[in-house]
Amino acid sequence: MQLKHIKLSGFKSFVDPTKISFPTNMVGVVGPNGCGKSNVIDAIRWVLGELSAKNLRGESMVDVIFNGSEKRKASGQCSIELLFDNSSAKIGGEYASFNEVSIKRVMTRDAQSDYFINNTKCRRKDVQDIFLGTGLGPSSYAIIEQGMVSKLVSAKPDELRTHIEEAAGVSKYRERRRETESRIKRTKDNLSRVKDIRDEIARLIKRLENQAKAAEKYNTLKKEKSKIEIDIAILFSLEAKNNRDGLQKKLDSLNRDLKIKNAESETIQSQIDQYRTENESVLSEYENAQKHFYSIGAEIAKREANLQNINKNENETKFKLETATKNLEKAKESELNFDELSPSEKAMHMLDEIILTLKNYDIQNDNVLDKATKLKTLLAEILNIASAQSKTLTEEYLSRKNDLIEQIDDAEKLKSSIQEEMKTFVTKSSEAETVLIDLRQKQSKFNDDLRELENKKSISDLDSRTLSEKITNIRLDLKTYEINLENSNQKIKKAGIKIENIDFKDYEGLSISQLEENLTDVDSKIIRLGAINLAAPDEIEEETKRKEELDKQYDDLTEALEKLTGAIKKIDNETKTIFKDSFDAVNIKLKEVFPKLFGGGIAELTLTDDDPLHAGVILMARPPGKKNSSISQLSGGEKALTALALVFAIFDLNPAPFCLLDEVDAPLDDLNTLRFINMVEEMSKSVQFIFITHNKVSMERSDYLMGVTMQEAGVSRMVSVDVNQALELAES
């Protein structure tokens, strides 16, 4: 099985779709540092199912997708496809018939990966299963990257054992063992589950047996209860028959009494209606008399109010008269005062007072005296006018007094007239009151008679209601007896007993109360039984069948567990044998290869334990001319050669389809490089070698060179050179 080519797209620095062919068994990959050579190794490791970003020289899995450069955008996904030549049918199973088998992995930026085998979507496990036992895998001995040499020689015993197991094909057995252990676990789980279910069913059967006993007792009590209920029904039927006729007679008698009472009540009601009609007439007459009495009272009140108003107005007029009289006396007095002096005397008198005033103020002026003289004349005129006005006022007061006296006389006359009218109305009021009293007495007698009749009616109605209630109760009793009789007859018929065939003499010594006590006792016994599962007998049969099936399953699972345990032992024995044989073969080959690479010296593998099944592997090496055998004491070149000797020894046991070497010759000098490349060339007859190198010796011995360049920053490109063709061209 040979790797024919790789197709890369969007993977790390290989942003463009790139096809890398491997036409020979010795293909060298060359190029300057940082151009993306190791990305080819990462691509192969990634497509084989690598899940660790660290092993791919990244921080996360999405780092394998081209992240962009100065001139290019980041890719949304990456894809790698490996194409294998399977003409030798190295890849078996369902793909053995395919001459070519492609393995593809695609991942998007959400870190979701899809795997494909021959363009058919599959699982990661399906990819790994194809290469089980072939030495290929994400962490196999066939892929040795930078730094892996030192890891290989300094690997822990268990890690070193893993490489030999892979070469020996033990991984297949380990997978079988893991699957067998998983089946054993599932079988034990099933066995435990079946045992739990079986035990639970056993307990359930026991409970059902107890329930079946309770159900049997319940059925016995139910039969006893049914017998008592039938006896009660027969006695109820007998009692109903005996009491129904008596109740019917009593009902007929009460119906007759009720008719009599209803007729009596109707007669009293007629009398009441007649009295009420007559009383309504008296009441109407009384209301009219009352209205007449009240109207007379209203007229009297009206007159009294008029008298009060007249008296009030008269008092006010008298007060006004007194005031007018006083004003008149004052006016007369004022008039007399004016008449005692003549106008000239009064004016002179006033003038004298003015002159005196002027003198008091020491005013000496002829003009003022002249004016005083004129003033004297003017004052004389004013006094004359005042005298005339005084006389006029006296006359007005006198006229006002006379008007008021006249008003008082008119009021006295009106009072007399109203008082006469009131005497007439008082007489009428007394007569109306007498009529009203007579009508009230008449109405009171009607009311007394009516109440007496209504009392008689109430007593009669009460007797009727009492009779009606008795009738209703008897009807209810009759209905109850009829229902009891019907129910009893139904129960009797349901029990398959013909009523006409019952001999009631057999029940003369029984009482319903005693039977009901017996029934209560039976019900109590039934209640004490609790919940009853009447289906318990059927369930016992069903659960017994289930238990038998589970017993069979338990036996089958026990037998299967024994077989699986035996298979584990067989696998362990086969694994132990294969591993021991493989270990010996690798050890022998290591002892042969090591001196070839070193030009002498010895190397060997030892087990950490006597048990080959679990023992780890320790690598010991002693180059020629040295006494030490500890790997840690070797130089870098010696460690590299030792690791390569081990890899070549493993490859001899189980050659992987190809071997990837990433600058493993970097620490070697020319002589050791030559020994290394001679060994590679010899092994390339059966194994395809793809190696990354900067060593000229390795380049010269390659059949085919793949050049990796990075003319554009961050973007890798491939250039291929057929070395043999180049040499032929150079020689020509």
Side-chain angles (χ1 to χ4, degrees):
M1 183 172 67
Q2 185 182 18
L3 179 63
K4 295 182 71 173
H5 66 245
I6 306 174
K7 289 183 179 179
L8 307 92
S9 179
F11 185 85
K12 290 193 171 182
S13 59
F14 291 93
V15 57
D16 296 323
T18 303
K19 181 179 179 182
I20 305 176
S21 299
F22 303 100
T24 66
N25 279 5
M26 286 189 66
V27 179
V29 181
V30 299
N33 291 329
C35 66
K37 299 188 299 299
S38 296
N39 290 342
V40 177
I41 305 295
D42 291 341
I44 295 173
R45 183 187 294 276
W46 182 75
V47 80
L48 293 177
E50 180 63 67
L51 297 178
S52 173
K54 183 179 179 181
N55 290 338
L56 297 171
R57 299 175 297 129
E59 295 181 359
S60 66
M61 286 304 293
V62 295
D63 289 340
V64 301
I65 302 175
F66 178 70
N67 203 32
S69 64
E70 293 181 357
K71 298 181 179 180
R72 301 205 184 206
K73 296 181 179 179
S75 298
Q77 68 175 27
C78 67
S79 67
I80 302 292
E81 182 181 10
L82 306 182
L83 183 65
F84 293 93
D85 181 356
N86 193 41
S87 56
S88 62
K90 184 76 172 180
I91 299 177
E94 59 180 303
Y95 302 103
S97 60
F98 290 87
N99 291 327
E100 292 182 342
V101 176
S102 70
I103 308 296
K104 186 177 181 181
R105 182 178 180 181
V106 180
M107 189 177 74
T108 57
R109 285 207 172 268
D110 59 359
Q112 295 295 318
S113 288
D114 292 321
Y115 294 87
F116 301 86
I117 300 177
N118 287 350
N119 293 323
T120 301
K121 195 172 182 179
C122 62
R123 303 170 299 170
R124 174 176 176 269
K125 184 178 180 301
D126 297 328
V127 174
Q128 292 180 328
D129 287 346
I130 285 180
F131 299 107
L132 280 177
T134 66
L136 287 180
S139 302
S140 74
Y141 59 84
I143 303 175
I144 303 176
E145 295 181 286
Q146 298 177 24
M148 288 293 292
V149 171
S150 60
K151 289 182 180 180
L152 186 62
V153 296
S154 61
K156 295 180 180 179
D158 290 341
E159 295 174 350
L160 196 55
R161 176 190 174 92
T162 302
H163 294 298
I164 297 176
E165 284 183 343
E166 183 66 27
V170 173
S171 58
K172 292 182 179 179
Y173 290 93
R174 289 221 178 261
E175 183 65 20
R176 283 172 54 192
R177 194 181 197 284
R178 187 189 65 77
E179 292 178 354
T180 304
E181 286 177 341
S182 178
R183 290 177 62 188
I184 287 175
K185 184 179 181 302
R186 291 196 301 270
T187 302
K188 286 182 177 179
D189 292 341
N190 292 333
L191 191 64
S192 177
R193 188 161 54 252
V194 169
K195 185 178 181 302
D196 292 340
I197 296 172
R198 189 178 66 167
D199 294 342
E200 180 60 31
I201 289 175
R203 290 190 291 271
L204 177 60
I205 289 172
K206 190 173 181 179
R207 289 198 301 271
L208 288 172
E209 288 174 350
N210 294 330
Q211 291 175 6
K213 292 178 181 178
E216 185 179 357
K217 192 172 182 180
Y218 172 80
N219 289 328
T220 302
L221 291 172
K222 285 291 287 183
K223 289 179 181 178
E224 185 178 350
K225 181 180 178 180
S226 297
K227 176 66 170 60
I228 295 172
E229 288 176 344
I230 291 171
D231 290 342
I232 292 173
I234 291 172
L235 289 178
F236 264 122
S237 178
L238 181 62
E239 184 182 77
K241 287 180 179 179
N242 292 334
N243 294 330
R244 186 174 55 182
D245 293 339
L247 285 174
Q248 187 61 50
K249 290 179 181 179
K250 191 174 181 179
L251 180 63
D252 293 340
S253 176
L254 290 173
N255 281 327
R256 286 193 297 271
D257 293 342
L258 181 61
K259 286 181 180 180
I260 294 171
K261 283 293 178 182
N262 288 337
E264 181 182 337
S265 181
E266 288 176 0
T267 301
I268 296 172
Q269 185 61 49
S270 296
Q271 294 176 354
I272 291 172
D273 294 340
Q274 185 178 355
Y275 267 86
R276 283 177 176 172
T277 303
E278 294 176 359
N279 190 37
E280 286 176 0
S281 176
V282 174
L283 182 61
S284 176
E285 189 177 350
Y286 175 79
E287 289 176 351
N288 292 330
Q290 193 176 40
K291 288 179 182 179
H292 181 62
F293 177 76
Y294 288 154
S295 67
I296 292 172
E299 291 293 333
I300 293 173
K302 187 177 178 182
R303 266 75 177 167
E304 288 178 347
N306 289 335
L307 282 174
Q308 290 178 355
N309 290 331
I310 291 169
N311 288 328
K312 182 180 178 182
N313 293 331
E314 187 179 8
N315 291 331
E316 291 176 354
T317 303
K318 287 179 178 180
F319 179 76
K320 291 177 180 179
L321 179 62
E322 291 177 358
T323 303
T325 301
K326 291 178 180 179
N327 292 334
L328 180 62
E329 290 175 355
K330 289 180 179 180
K332 286 181 178 181
E333 184 180 353
S334 177
E335 186 179 354
L336 290 173
N337 291 332
F338 274 101
D339 290 339
E340 290 177 357
L341 296 175
S342 63
S344 59
E345 291 177 342
K346 295 175 182 177
M348 288 300 294
H349 179 75
M350 297 180 66
L351 182 62
D352 290 338
E353 290 181 353
I354 292 170
I355 293 170
L356 181 61
T357 302
L358 293 172
K359 288 179 178 181
N360 289 333
Y361 283 95
D362 196 21
I363 299 172
Q364 301 294 324
N365 193 327
D366 293 337
N367 189 34
V368 173
L369 292 175
D370 188 44
K371 290 182 178 181
T373 303
K374 291 180 180 180
L375 182 62
K376 180 179 178 180
T377 305
L378 181 62
L379 288 174
E381 293 176 358
I382 291 171
L383 289 173
N384 289 327
I385 294 169
S387 178
Q389 290 178 344
S390 177
K391 291 179 181 179
T392 301
L393 186 61
T394 301
E395 291 174 358
E396 288 178 356
Y397 283 144
L398 182 62
S399 177
R400 176 66 174 164
K401 180 180 177 181
N402 293 331
D403 291 340
L404 292 171
I405 292 170
E406 193 175 330
Q407 289 178 10
I408 291 170
D409 292 340
D410 293 340
E412 288 293 332
K413 291 177 182 178
L414 184 60
K415 282 169 65 178
S416 298
S417 177
I418 292 172
Q419 287 173 351
E420 289 297 325
E421 289 180 355
M422 285 183 65
K423 289 179 181 179
T424 303
F425 278 115
V426 168
T427 302
K428 290 181 179 179
S429 177
S430 178
E431 293 173 353
E433 187 177 7
T434 301
V435 174
L436 194 64
I437 291 170
D438 292 341
L439 289 172
R440 190 181 291 120
Q441 290 175 349
K442 189 176 181 179
Q443 187 184 19
S444 176
K445 186 177 182 307
F446 269 111
N447 289 335
D448 292 340
D449 294 342
L450 184 61
R451 278 195 295 273
E452 185 178 354
L453 288 172
E454 286 177 342
N455 288 333
K456 288 182 179 180
K457 178 68 165 53
S458 297
I459 294 170
S460 180
D461 290 342
L462 180 61
D463 292 340
S464 296
R465 284 196 298 273
T466 303
L467 289 172
S468 296
E469 289 175 359
K470 288 181 179 180
I471 291 170
T472 301
N473 291 332
I474 291 174
R475 284 176 177 171
L476 289 173
D477 291 340
L478 276 173
K479 188 67 176 178
T480 301
Y481 279 119
E482 289 175 358
I483 292 171
N484 289 337
L485 181 63
E486 180 65 23
N487 291 337
S488 299
N489 290 339
Q490 288 293 332
K491 287 181 180 179
I492 294 169
K493 290 178 181 179
K494 193 174 181 179
I497 301 172
K498 293 182 178 181
I499 300 173
E500 57 271 15
N501 295 334
I502 297 173
D503 190 357
F504 291 101
K505 292 180 180 180
D506 298 336
Y507 296 89
E508 290 179 354
L510 298 176
S511 68
I512 293 177
S513 59
Q514 183 60 48
L515 289 174
E516 287 178 343
E517 288 180 5
N518 295 341
L519 184 63
T520 302
D521 183 58
V522 173
D523 284 335
S524 298
K525 291 179 180 179
I526 291 174
I527 291 170
R528 285 196 294 272
L529 289 175
I532 303 299
N533 183 10
L534 297 176
D538 296 333
E539 291 179 2
I540 288 174
E541 184 179 354
E542 183 180 347
E543 295 301 328
T544 301
K545 291 180 180 178
R546 283 186 63 195
K547 187 176 181 303
E548 290 174 355
E549 292 176 359
L550 288 170
D551 289 340
K552 185 179 179 183
Q553 290 181 22
Y554 186 84
D555 294 338
D556 293 341
L557 288 171
T558 302
E559 184 181 353
L561 187 61
E562 291 176 356
K563 290 181 179 179
L564 290 171
T565 304
I568 287 288
K569 291 180 181 178
K570 185 178 179 181
I571 291 171
D572 288 344
N573 290 332
E574 291 179 0
T575 302
K576 185 187 297 183
T577 301
I578 292 172
F579 177 78
K580 187 63 171 64
D581 293 343
S582 299
F583 174 81
D584 293 340
V586 171
N587 207 5
I588 292 171
K589 191 64 178 178
L590 176 63
K591 292 177 182 180
E592 178 185 337
V593 174
F594 186 84
K596 289 183 180 180
L597 289 174
F598 278 89
I602 60 173
E604 64 177 343
L605 300 172
T606 59
L607 296 176
T608 59
D609 197 303
D610 294 335
D611 183 9
L613 189 63
H614 301 100
V617 178
I618 298 175
L619 173 62
M620 296 184 298
R622 187 165 60 242
K626 294 188 178 181
K627 294 182 179 182
N628 63 292
S629 61
S630 175
I631 299 296
S632 61
Q633 296 178 357
L634 299 178
S635 66
E638 289 173 338
K639 287 181 179 178
L641 284 177
T642 302
L644 290 171
L646 178 60
V647 171
F648 292 156
I650 294 172
F651 261 85
D652 185 74
L653 174 67
N654 183 18
F658 58 83
C659 181
L660 303 177
L661 304 174
D662 188 3
E663 297 186 26
V664 296
D665 56 358
L668 303 181
D669 57 22
D670 289 344
L671 179 59
N672 286 325
T673 301
L674 186 60
R675 291 172 181 167
F676 156 71
I677 203 66
N678 287 335
M679 183 67 69
V680 171
E681 190 173 23
E682 182 181 348
M683 293 182 66
S684 67
K685 296 176 182 179
S686 59
V687 178
Q688 184 182 28
F689 283 90
I690 301 169
F691 51 90
I692 297 172
T693 183
H694 290 284
N695 195 296
K696 293 181 179 181
V697 176
S698 299
M699 293 182 191
E700 291 172 355
R701 300 290 291 272
S702 300
D703 297 331
Y704 197 84
L705 287 177
M706 300 295 300
V708 183
T709 64
M710 192 174 282
Q711 297 177 354
E712 181 183 346
V715 178
S716 298
R717 297 184 183 277
M718 300 299 299
V719 178
S720 61
V721 177
D722 189 327
V723 177
N724 293 326
Q725 288 182 0
L727 290 173
E728 290 177 1
L729 289 172
E731 291 176 356
S732 63

